[in-house]
Amino acid sequence: MVWTKKDLLGLEYLTQEEIELILDTAESFKEISTREIKKVPALRGKTAVNLFYEPSTRTRVSFEVAAKRLSADVINIATETSSVRKGETLIDTGKNIQALKADIIIMRHNYSGAANMLARALDISVVNAGDGWHEHPTQALLDMFTLKEKLGKIKGLNVAIVGDIAHSRVARSNIWGLTKLGAQVTLCAPEILLPVGIEKTGVKVTSNIDQALENADAVNVLRMQFERDEGAAFPEQLDYYQRFGITEERLAKAKKNIIVMHPGPINRGVEMSSEVADGANSVILEQVTNGIAVRMAVLFLVAQAGEVKK
Ligand code: CP
């Protein structure tokens, strides 16, 4: 199949075939990072701009590494020191970056839908690096890439997603991606962090952690987003850890080879113990490494489609 979209905004908008194309392209790019000279000329002459309105370590650096491995030029805009501080709108900022002849904007924003809005306003490519509670498509893609690498398939897997589902763009993108590729997803969270009606997306829902882990091939543990807890609705950290924290004792009751994932950053002793985070079942740092290949694939595909549309 041929990729035709100039933007990557969310897994909701992709077909099963398009998701598989990204994962297959990422597989072919992964080897580049093992070479002595970790670079290919695929995006030579292209410029990618990292425009991050929220903090990030993994995603921002990973996109920069990915773009550089493809020989693109990369510019990082820190919104705290840009004209955003003078009140410039998102669309004006985007149009100016376009006028500076960039080819791709990689954006993280605190508002859900911000990436969709920018993509509609611009001719150049927009890649969503996380928008509010909406989607974080490249995180879900690297999660699925890691699952496929470790377990050989996605279809038929039982994947538990545990934690702050309500505020999680990672959960939403994973739900779209995993269900489209034929996995069974079980969401596990305190009742207050489970969006009403989420079952309609085809997932199972429970507030019993042992039940969620019972038959799981993998557990994706979400970060508790305390910074978004304006109404102080979250359970106390200790209470949360006692009810939902992934510990060695809980893992001992799950499948022996269950894969433990986390998008990062981890709150150790809240979402999981350090023994689990650093233990034999954890693939957390492998997820980070796989993010490079997945983001190389995304940048390569959207740049090609953007070229056709110019
Ligand atoms: N997983 C993730 O989005 O991490 P960062 O916030 O560090 O980019």
Side-chain angles (χ1 to χ4, degrees), residues 230-248:
E230 288 146 7
F234 286 6
E236 292 297 323
Q237 293 191 21
L238 185 61
D239 181 44
Y240 180 83
Y241 185 64
Q242 280 166 359
R243 278 188 69 198
F244 296 95
I246 307 298
T247 59
E248 286 182 308

Side-chain angles (χ1 to χ4, degrees), residues 178-193:
L178 287 167
T179 54
K180 284 181 186 192
L181 265 54
Q184 175 62 61
V185 177
T186 301
L187 305 179
C188 180
E191 291 77 359
I192 200 164
L193 297 178

Side-chain angles (χ1 to χ4, degrees), residues 22-57:
I22 297 173
L23 298 180
D24 290 346
T25 309
E27 205 173 316
S28 71
F29 278 143
K30 186 162 176 180
E31 172 271 328
I32 294 166
S33 292
T34 64
R35 296 182 193 172
E36 196 176 329
I37 297 173
K38 306 177 182 64
K39 228 174 175 55
V40 292
L43 293 189
R44 192 162 60 194
K46 301 282 183 199
T47 301
V49 173
N50 266 327
L51 178 64
F52 277 57
Y53 289 79
E54 275 190 349
S56 169
T57 300

